[in-house]
């Protein structure tokens, strides 16, 4: 193994490259990235970059010296265009590169809407330039329409309100974030936005973005109505960047399809938002758009790549956070397709709560608002060891006893209340 | 080894504490990182480097001095 090529120079690709060096790989290491800027962090783009708490320079993932130390052949502003598995060659917009092992970390891009291009005032939030452009638009009294009440839309709406912007948020589903977090938690977040003055309209799908030839003027809904706007944020989900792999023989579906070792083919691996792999901890195929996953998967892939015979399945407890107003939402585990949610501490309408998720007879996830770190660690451990749900139902004391003292007793001893029996098939 | 944390960048993910609990902790009130040992012993090096690598806010820097 002398030449490793990593495609995608962001959180996942960089973590892979760094891990390879940390693990002693001293061969040629090429990192190819379509963006011209050195690797930077995306979560602040819908948070501290918009508020001004962090500057563009502060969201760079590594300093120039740290990048130098990795002794990379760093090719920025270069796009991979195809791969030939038989001859092990990557083609790019600036020539071909031979490899012994290839890592695909090309992430996702935002889903678009008709009318989104060709006029100013329409914003996506994926790149640093996107965020810096949006920041300019967030002026007091301006009318911002946020299309989609997912995490990126909701975070942007929260920042915009704090800056005195008038915000209308349009969501096609009846409850925001329901697919990600379940109906009850989604309802609570919808209420939070309304309390902060967001005009949240659910069951409103947007058909197209309107402009006057140069600037955005509003959006047209599926029903034909027009919602006027000075600026529009499009936050309707994302599409994995796999088109460049079409025809290569690699399996593509919703992402690059990988096995439990994150391997797509011999000596070809997937990392981060673009990779769909089977997580043995939950026994399901998942593709996760979370920041920590990109780094952890990069580390796991570096290990497996260097020692394919001794490969370890990648079996993380997924984690993400989201900041909205005074709430820090943190989630562990696999929340989709759950059978039931139980609020085990606090109250969903208050800033501080813990909700537990059941799939089958097992605790599979936890969502917490403003929870302390020890509480969260206890829940994470319980998910990692596939704690039976009956222990959650038996109350925090029971869970705590089983988990050796690290569990939910520190949630303040709140009684378990099952508020949400989601057993209607087809809701999620 | 010298370890530094950039507190304003920390997002309270707790990854560092899971990996290197002797070097990092989190504040009880908001989960923000607390550096317990800015020049940890050799046996902690690997864990500290891994923490810096996976920290989702790039808030941990390690320098070999
Ligand atoms: C606004 C925003 C807020 C977020 N907030 C949170 C949060 O609060 N919590 C959380 O857990 N996660 C959050 N995330 C998600 C997190 O940022 C991602 O999970 C993470 O960036 C994934 O890293 P990645 O390296 O897999 O992909 P990406 O960061 O998408 O990077 C992929 C890179 O590959 C490049 N590329 C694509 N195609 C090619 C090609 N053909 N050739 C070369 N290069 C290519 C792209 O230009 C890009 O630079 C947020 C994301 C965004 C956009
Ligand atoms: S891993 Fe990074 S972001 Fe998470 S608590 Fe530690 S320093 Fe903060």
């Amino acid at each position: 193994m002398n030449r490793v090529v990593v495609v995608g120079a962001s959180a996942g690709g960089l973590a892979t490259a760094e891990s390879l060096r940390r693990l002693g790989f001293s061969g040629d290491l090429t990192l190819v990235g379509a963006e011209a800027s050195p690797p930077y962090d995306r979560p602040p783009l819908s948070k501290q970059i918009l508020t001004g708490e962090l500057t563009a320079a502060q969201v760079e993932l590594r300093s120039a010296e740290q990048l130098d130390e990795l002794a990379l052949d760093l090719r920025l502003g270069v796009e991979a265009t195809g791969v030939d598995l038989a001859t092990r060659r990557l083609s790019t917009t600036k020539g071909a590169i031979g490899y012994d092992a290839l890592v695909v970390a090309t992430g996702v891009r935002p889903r678009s809407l008709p009318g989104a291009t060709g006029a100013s005032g329409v914003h996506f939030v994926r790149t640093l330039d996107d965020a810096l452009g949006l920041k300019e638009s967030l002026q007091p009294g301006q009318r911002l329409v946020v299309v989609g009440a997912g995490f990126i839309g909701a975070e942007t709406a929260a920042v915009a309100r704090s800056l005195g912007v008038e915000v209308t948020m349009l969501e096609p589903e009846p409850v925001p974030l329901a697919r990600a977090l379940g109906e009850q938690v989604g309802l609570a977040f919808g209420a939070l936005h309304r309390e902060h003055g967001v005009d949240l309209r659910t069951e409103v799908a947007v058909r197209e973005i309107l402009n006057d030839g140069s600037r955005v003027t509003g959006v047209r809904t599926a029903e034909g109505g027009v919602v006027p706007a000075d600026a529009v944020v499009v936050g309707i989900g994302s599409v994995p960047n796999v088109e460049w792999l079409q025809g290569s023989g690699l399996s593509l579906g919703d992402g690059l399809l990988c096995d439990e070792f994150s391997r797509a083919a011999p000596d070809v691996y997937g990392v981060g938002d673009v990779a769909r792999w089977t997580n043995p901890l939950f026994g399901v195929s998942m593709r996760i758009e979370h920041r920590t996953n990109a780094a952890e998967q990069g580390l796991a892939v570096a290990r497996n790549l260097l020692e394919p015979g001794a490969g370890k399945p990648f079996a993380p407890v997924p984690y993400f956070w989201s900041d909205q107003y005074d709430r820090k939402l943190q989630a562990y585990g696999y929340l989709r397709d759950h059978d039931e949610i139980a609020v085990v501490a606090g109250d969903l309408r208050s800033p501080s709560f813990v909700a537990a998720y059941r799939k089958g007879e097992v605790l599979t996830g936890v969502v917490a608002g403003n929870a302390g770190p020890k509480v969260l660690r206890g829940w994470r451990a319980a998910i990692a060891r596939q704690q039976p749900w009956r222990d959650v139902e038996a109350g925090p004391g029971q869970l705590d006893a089983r988990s050796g003292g690290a569990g939910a007793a520190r949630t303040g001893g709140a009684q378990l209340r099952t508020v949400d029996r989601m057993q209607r098939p087809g809701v999620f | 080894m010298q370890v530094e944390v950039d507190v304003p960048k920390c997002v309270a993910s707790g990854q560092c504490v899971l990996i290197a609990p002797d070097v990092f902790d989190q504040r009880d009130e908001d989960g923000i990182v607390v550096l317990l040992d800015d020049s940890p012993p050799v046996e902690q090096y690997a864990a500290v480097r891994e923490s810096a690598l996976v920290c989702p806010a790039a808030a941990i820097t390690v320098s070999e001095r």
Side-chain angles (χ1 to χ4, degrees):
Chain A
M1 190 73 58
N2 289 315
R3 299 167 304 169
V4 179
V5 175
V6 180
V7 186
S10 182
L14 180 67
T16 312
E18 263 189 339
S19 303
L20 285 166
R21 287 297 189 226
R22 294 257 151 87
L23 296 169
F25 174 69
S26 57
D28 292 346
L29 184 50
T30 307
L31 182 59
V32 181
E35 292 181 76
S37 39
Y40 59 86
D41 209 10
R42 292 184 207 280
L45 302 183
S46 51
K47 309 176 186 73
Q48 300 96 320
I49 285 284
L50 299 181
T51 59
E53 286 161 274
L54 291 178
T55 62
Q58 284 175 298
V59 300
E60 282 183 1
L61 284 171
R62 298 292 181 261
S63 67
E65 302 86 77
Q66 287 172 319
L67 289 176
D68 280 350
E69 280 167 21
L70 294 174
L72 299 173
D73 176 359
L74 183 58
R75 306 199 190 179
L76 297 175
V78 177
E79 208 179 313
T81 50
V83 61
D84 184 340
L85 296 180
T87 58
R88 302 204 170 197
R89 284 179 84 74
L90 177 80
S91 38
T92 78
T93 45
K94 300 222 174 108
I97 311 171
Y99 65 81
D100 300 315
L102 178 71
V103 178
V104 175
T106 45
V108 298
R109 63 178 182 279
R111 203 178 292 281
S112 191
L113 273 174
T117 50
S120 62
V122 183
H123 303 274
F124 296 90
V125 200
R126 187 76 200 172
T127 67
L128 185 52
D129 283 345
D130 290 343
L132 294 171
L134 171 59
K135 182 175 196 289
E136 294 297 304
S137 283
L138 300 180
Q139 303 297 333
Q142 292 280 297
R143 296 164 307 171
L144 177 71
V145 168
V146 177
V147 185
F151 288 107
I152 289 175
E155 289 185 351
T156 305
V159 172
R161 285 304 299 145
S162 74
L163 297 172
V165 178
E166 286 176 29
V167 181
T168 304
M169 187 152 61
L170 308 177
E171 166 59 42
E173 299 290 325
V175 177
L177 297 173
R179 212 168 308 153
L181 300 178
E183 210 164 280
Q184 296 302 316
V185 181
L187 279 172
F189 269 83
L192 176 71
H193 283 280
R194 290 194 171 111
E195 277 160 30
H196 282 84
V198 173
D199 180 3
L200 169 64
R201 305 185 199 169
T202 53
E203 294 181 88
V204 178
V206 168
R207 191 199 300 163
E208 61 174 332
I209 299 176
L210 305 170
N211 65 65
D212 63 7
S214 63
R215 266 209 75 81
V216 68
T217 54
V219 301
R220 190 186 309 280
T221 68
E223 272 155 14
V226 170
V227 184
D230 302 307
V232 171
V233 166
V234 183
I236 52 171
S238 47
V239 194
N241 290 320
V242 292
E243 290 76 4
W244 66 280
L245 294 168
Q246 264 158 15
S248 65
L250 292 170
S251 302
L252 308 175
D254 171 40
L256 172 65
L257 307 188
C258 301
D259 64 13
E260 69 267 38
F261 304 101
S262 296
R263 190 176 47 198
D267 301 314
V268 180
Y269 296 83
V271 165
D273 286 10
V274 74
R276 173 169 281 282
W277 91 108
T278 303
N279 182 336
L281 183 58
F282 301 91
V284 286
S285 156
M286 47 178 82
R287 190 175 64 74
I288 290 185
E289 298 183 14
H290 301 162
R291 177 61 180 81
T292 49
N293 191 66
E296 290 175 353
Q297 200 163 17
L299 178 59
V301 159
R303 287 190 176 124
N304 289 348
L305 182 156
L306 292 176
E307 278 189 88
K312 274 207 200 123
F314 179 55
V317 177
Y319 165 81
F320 73 88
W321 79 99
S322 174
D323 298 323
Q324 297 172 40
Y325 308 105
D326 58 347
R327 293 209 190 164
K328 177 175 281 293
L329 189 77
Q330 288 177 287
Y332 278 110
Y334 189 67
L335 309 174
R336 284 182 190 242
D337 310 319
H338 56 266
D339 295 321
E340 181 185 342
I341 300 175
V343 176
V344 290
D347 172 335
L348 292 178
R349 292 294 172 101
S350 71
S352 177
F353 67 87
V354 178
Y357 291 63
R358 172 178 77 79
K359 174 79 182 166
E361 296 312 313
V362 177
L363 169 72
T364 49
V366 146
V367 171
N370 298 6
K374 294 196 181 74
V375 172
L376 284 167
R377 264 178 253 147
W379 282 102
R380 181 192 177 282
I383 296 164
R385 63 171 178 266
Q386 302 179 306
Q387 192 89 25
W389 184 256
R390 61 173 182 275
D391 297 341
V392 177
E393 280 190 315
Q398 182 64 19
L399 185 66
D400 195 48
R402 296 224 169 192
S403 65
R410 296 178 198 172
T411 54
Q415 287 301 302
L416 175 128
R417 288 174 302 128
T418 302
V419 296
D420 185 7
R421 295 251 171 212
M422 292 281 179
Q423 276 145 351
R424 282 164 290 154
V427 175
F428 295 98
Chain B
M1 171 188 276
Q2 279 298 119
V3 186
E4 274 175 66
V5 293
D6 189 343
V7 170
K9 282 169 81 173
C10 172
V11 299
S13 73
Q15 300 297 108
C16 54
V17 183
L18 290 173
I19 300 165
D22 294 333
V23 180
F24 304 101
D25 198 0
Q26 291 172 276
R27 299 199 296 234
D28 270 339
E29 63 274 25
D30 56 8
I32 295 298
V33 65
V34 177
L35 185 58
L36 299 176
D37 189 350
D38 65 0
S39 49
V42 160
E43 61 271 19
Q44 292 292 331
Y45 284 12
V48 172
R49 290 199 188 105
E50 188 173 320
S51 302
L53 198 146
V54 302
C55 168
I60 301 170
T61 32
V62 175
S63 54
E64 318 289 334
R65 254 179 283 142

